[in-house]
Structures are given as C-alpha cells and as structure tokens.
C-alpha cells in the first residue's frame, strides 16, 4: 500500500497519538505518520471513514500497522489494566490397554492491573510490546498481533523467561477507523480476542491432570499365582475364569467389607469409628476437623468421619506391622480405599476425592504423622494424641 493509505492514528509533536475524530481537520492536525514520520492530513469525510492520509505521493509501507500498534501500546500504558483469558489446560492419558482419556482444567478469566507499563522491553532476547508490573511485583507481558506472521518465536521467548504472556489479536482492526476510547475497549476489556502465549502454571496443571488420569486407570486383574512346584508329578493348573473367584480370598474379603460399610448409615459409620478410636473423631479437632472439604464436598461422608477412618486404616498401629511399616502406601491406594469405603458425593468425580485426600495427607505430613519418600507415604507416628490436646 502506498498512495491513499488510511492511517488510523496520527503522531503529535508531544509523542502521543490522536484519532481523526478528535484531530483538527487537514494539515492543522499537526501530526506525522507513526511509520514514516512524514506529515499527515486529517480527513473527516461525510462519505469516507475518518482517517489520516499522507500529503501527496509517498512510499510509506507500514504507517497503518505502526499507527495501530503504537496506539494499542499507548492505551494500555495509560489504562494500565487488561482482561486476561481463561486458562484451559488439557491432558491426555493413553494407557497401553483401554481407551485414551482426557481431562481439562479451566482457570477463569481474570484482570491484570498494572502499576506501570514499559514498552519495548527486552525479555529473553525478544522485544515485548508491553511489559506490565503489578502491585505485588509480578510481571505480565502483553503482545499485539497485527501482522499475519506466526507467534512461535514470542512463545519460545516467554517460555524461556517463564513469564505469563498474553497476545491480543488486533488484525480485525487493521484499516478500520476508531477512536482511542474504542481502541482501549478492544485492547483492555474484550476477553474474546486474546490468548495465552505462555502461562507459568500450565505445565504443573497438566502434570496434575495426568496424575489424576493415571489414578483413574482400572486396577489390572491380578495375575494368577504360579503353580506350586510338584517335583516330577503331573502339572497342577491354577483356577481360571473371570468371576469373583479370580480374586484371592483376602481381596474378596476386603471388597465385601467395603460393601458392608457402604450400606451403613452415616450414624452407624460414626458409631463404628467411635468404637475403634474410643472417642468420636471430633475429640481430635486439630487432626480431623482442620482440613475442610472442597466447596462442593467430593467424598460422601462428613470430613471428621472419613478422615478419622482413613487415619485408623493407614496410620494407627502401623509401626507394629512390618509389612505396612516398611512398604508405605501410595496416594492412589488411599484414593481408591476412600472411594470404595465412602463413595463420591452425588455428581462428584474421582478428581474431587483425590484433591481432598491429598490435602488431608499433606496435613498428616505437616503434623508429623507421615513422611513422603518418592511417591510413597510412610508412617512416622502411629498413635492418637490425648483427646482434645493440640497435636
Ligand atoms: Zn507513513
């Protein structure tokens, strides 16, 4: 584009941009082109859209896009706020057997308020269109997409610097006439025209989703026990079949016990637990009533009940049992046990159970009952403190 190029904003002698709706008509606007720095005329036609144009023939190549970028930077710098989009992270688990599963987490859309906005600051070798600093000292980058070129290079830079970066797509505005106020709405307030180039929490969220997906993998059917050595006698084949007889007696007994327990009322479950602990779980408020459930409780039992029962199952008396003491247990085992014992609240998924169980296990670590090694928990202290005492 050269002759007749519509320039959306003109650059005034004070370094600020002005829109053609506000400028004085013609050369009286006293503006130059943000691209080539040659004088502009303000055109406020009744038929043509308002715009600036160069005086006479010229070879300006980038006046239109330079004006839009400069104006976007300027409105962000003066408004110092921007809506950032929802963060959507999806993880896929493709087990060797069974169907692939997918999970998605969504962090709601939010707003960044900046104390200061620096333009053209270098971040990991890339010049950021805008670099904002928030009241807590954290930084966020804002990029504007005006040309059609890809943004992979920017993504790589912000990934390397591990700084959150949002790109606002202004391509639909190229060639349009708008006031600086209208541009400010497009830049600061519209969540729809932007995307994350990089978000420091995305990778951790993906790892968490993958862990949740792995926990959902079906437990493999136990392999049949090897046939006992019988010397030279005829071979002995172990049982076959796919019904419950495949489960060994111990597993079958555990399953029956879970089913029996699930069928009890909450009051009956509490009564059983109280008998086992020799007091209701509320007698240890520091231990069993500190970790509150999610806003939508995921485990179908009051928190003191499932937490007390979990403690009884996985912690109490463990140090006297060499197998339990030395092998520890995984979070997945606790998740599965909690689900089998209490079930999920109606409409809730395994994900909610996992987050509630993990928080309680971390609490037991913090209180000195458990320690973590690799992906296992080991019991350090396996008895309850005196009732009502601070633990
Ligand atoms: Zn120009």
């Amino acid at each position: 584009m050269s002759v007749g190029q519509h320039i959306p904003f003109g650059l005034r002698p004070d370094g600020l941009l002005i829109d053609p709706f506000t400028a004085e008509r013609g050369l009286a606007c006293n503006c130059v082109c943000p691209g080539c720095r040659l004088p502009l005329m303000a055109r406020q036609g009744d038929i043509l859209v308002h715009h600036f144009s160069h005086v006479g023939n010229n070879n300006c190549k980038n006046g239109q896009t330079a004006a839009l970028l400069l104006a976007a930077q300027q409105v962000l710098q003066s408004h110092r706020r921007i809506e950032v989009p929802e963060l959507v992270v999806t993880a896929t688990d493709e087990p060797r057997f069974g169907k692939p599963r997918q999970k998605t987490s969504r962090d709601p859309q939010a707003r960044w308020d900046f104390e200061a906005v620096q333009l053209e600051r270098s971040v990991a070798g890339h010049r950021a269109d805008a670099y904002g600093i928030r009241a807590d000292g954290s930084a966020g980058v804002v990029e504007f997409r005006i040309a059609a070129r890809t943004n992979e290079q920017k993504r790589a830079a912000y990934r390397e610097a591990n700084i959150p970066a949002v790109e606002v797509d202004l391509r639909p505005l190229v060639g349009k006439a708008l006031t600086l106020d209208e541009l400010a709405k497009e830049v600061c307030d519209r969540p729809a025209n932007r995307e994350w180039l990089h978000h420091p929490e995305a990778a951790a969220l993906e790892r968490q989703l993958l862990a949740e997906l792995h926990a959902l993998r079906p437990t493999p059917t136990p392999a049949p026990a090897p046939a006992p050595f019988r010397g030279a006698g005829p071979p002995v084949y172990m049982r076959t079949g796919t019904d419950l007889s495949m489960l060994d007696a111990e597993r079958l007994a555990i399953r029956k016990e879970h089913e029996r327990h699930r069928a009890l009322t909450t009051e009956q479950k509490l009564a059983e637990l109280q008998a086992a602990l020799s007091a209701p779980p509320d007698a240890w408020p520091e231990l069993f009533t500190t970790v509150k459930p999610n806003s939508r409780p995921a485990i179908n039992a009051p928190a003191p009940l499932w937490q007390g029962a979990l403690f009884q199952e996985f912690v109490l008396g463990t140090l006297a049992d060499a197998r339990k003491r030395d092998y520890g247990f995984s979070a997945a085992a606790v998740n599965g046990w909690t689900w089998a014992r209490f079930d999920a609240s109606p409409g809730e998924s395994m994900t909610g159970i996992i987050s509630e169980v993990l928080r309680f296990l971390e609490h037991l670590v913090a209180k000195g009952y458990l320690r973590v090694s690799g992906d296992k928990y080991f019991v350090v202290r396996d008895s309850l403190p005196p009732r009502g005492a601070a633990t």
Side-chain angles (χ1 to χ4, degrees):
M1 244 188 277
S2 57
V3 181
Q5 185 182 20
H6 288 195
I7 310 295
F9 303 100
L11 188 58
R12 294 193 311 196
D14 62 5
L16 295 178
L17 290 149
I18 188 168
D19 63 53
F21 302 85
T22 315
E24 296 231 24
R25 191 184 285 256
L27 280 170
C29 70
N30 195 22
C31 297
V32 296
C33 168
C36 63
R37 309 282 159 151
L38 289 173
L40 290 177
M41 295 169 64
R43 308 257 187 194
Q44 295 155 339
D46 295 327
I47 298 164
L48 282 171
V49 293
H50 285 32
H51 67 279
F52 295 95
S53 66
H54 294 93
V55 181
N57 288 355
N58 69 90
N59 293 313
C60 180
K61 298 247 180 337
N62 65 338
Q64 196 172 51
T65 51
L68 185 55
L69 173 60
L70 218 55
Q73 289 176 311
Q74 182 179 303
V75 298
L76 182 63
Q77 197 167 37
S78 61
H79 287 74
R80 302 203 312 272
R81 66 155 198 275
I82 186 167
E83 293 289 331
V84 294
E86 188 183 39
L87 175 66
V88 182
V89 177
T90 299
T92 308
D93 180 33
E94 292 178 38
R96 276 174 60 210
F97 306 103
K99 283 188 294 190
R101 285 176 194 259
Q102 232 176 32
K103 273 182 85 84
T104 297
S105 90
R106 295 172 177 277
D107 268 18
Q109 181 207 324
R111 191 173 111 175
W112 283 345
D113 288 293
F114 295 128
E115 297 288 298
V117 175
Q118 301 168 354
L119 305 179
E120 306 290 335
R121 174 172 164 159
S122 174
V123 177
H126 184 84
R127 256 189 3 188
D129 289 340
Y131 181 96
I133 298 160
R134 282 175 283 172
D136 65 0
S138 61
V141 163
V142 179
E143 287 282 342
F144 298 106
R145 188 164 192 187
I146 289 169
R149 66 169 190 274
T150 66
N151 51 26
E152 279 319 304
Q153 200 195 345
K154 300 179 195 174
R155 281 184 196 279
Y158 300 130
R159 193 163 52 231
E160 188 187 324
N162 201 26
I163 185 169
V166 165
E167 184 176 69
V168 181
D169 189 357
L170 296 181
R171 286 175 296 173
L173 303 183
V174 175
K176 296 256 172 68
L178 65 175
T179 66
L180 284 169
D181 283 344
E182 288 166 339
L183 180 66
K185 287 198 181 70
E186 296 286 335
V187 167
C188 303
D189 300 327
R190 266 190 66 200
N193 63 353
R194 55 208 60 197
E195 62 171 325
W196 289 105
L197 294 174
H198 176 72
H199 195 299
E201 281 158 40
L205 277 171
E206 191 182 351
R207 280 196 299 277
Q208 188 192 332
L209 290 176
L210 269 178
E212 290 169 4
L213 284 169
H214 286 169
L216 290 174
R217 284 182 179 183
T219 322
T221 310
F229 179 68
R230 282 290 189 92
V236 175
Y237 294 99
M238 298 303 288
R239 63 196 169 198
T240 55
T242 53
D243 63 345
L244 280 182
S245 64
M246 267 301 283
L247 297 171
D248 57 43
E250 189 188 1
R251 289 170 58 93
L252 189 59
I254 290 171
R255 178 188 282 207
K256 286 206 159 135
E257 163 55 20
H258 286 325
E259 280 167 8
R260 179 199 67 81
H261 186 265
R262 268 196 193 208
L264 301 177
T265 65
T266 298
E267 291 69 31
Q268 290 168 325
K269 289 172 187 168
L270 268 169
E272 277 198 358
L273 179 64
Q274 178 172 344
L277 303 181
S278 71
D282 318 55
W284 294 274
E286 290 275 311
L287 207 47
F288 300 135
T289 61
T290 309
V291 179
K292 303 293 180 206
N294 298 331
S295 54
R296 279 171 26 191
I299 300 170
N300 195 13
L305 171 57
W306 70 257
Q307 292 178 2
L310 191 159
F311 189 87
Q312 187 210 353
E313 172 72 16
F314 288 92
V315 180
L316 278 186
T318 293
L319 298 179
D321 179 332
R323 192 175 61 135
K324 284 187 177 178
R325 184 187 64 216
D326 297 343
Y327 284 87
F329 54 86
S330 66
V334 185
N335 293 328
W337 181 88
T338 307
W339 173 80
R341 199 79 177 154
F342 294 102
D343 207 349
S345 296
E348 293 302 315
S349 65
M350 196 69 186
T351 312
I353 294 185
I354 290 170
S355 89
E356 296 203 346
V357 164
L358 282 179
R359 271 191 294 136
F360 182 59
L361 290 175
E362 289 312 307
H363 172 65
L364 293 181
V365 171
K367 289 279 173 194
Y369 288 91
L370 300 177
R371 69 179 167 84
V372 188
S373 177
D375 60 352
K376 288 278 189 67
Y377 292 87
F378 292 88
V379 174
V380 181
R381 187 172 149 196
D382 70 345
S383 59
L384 282 163
R387 269 176 238 174
T391 47

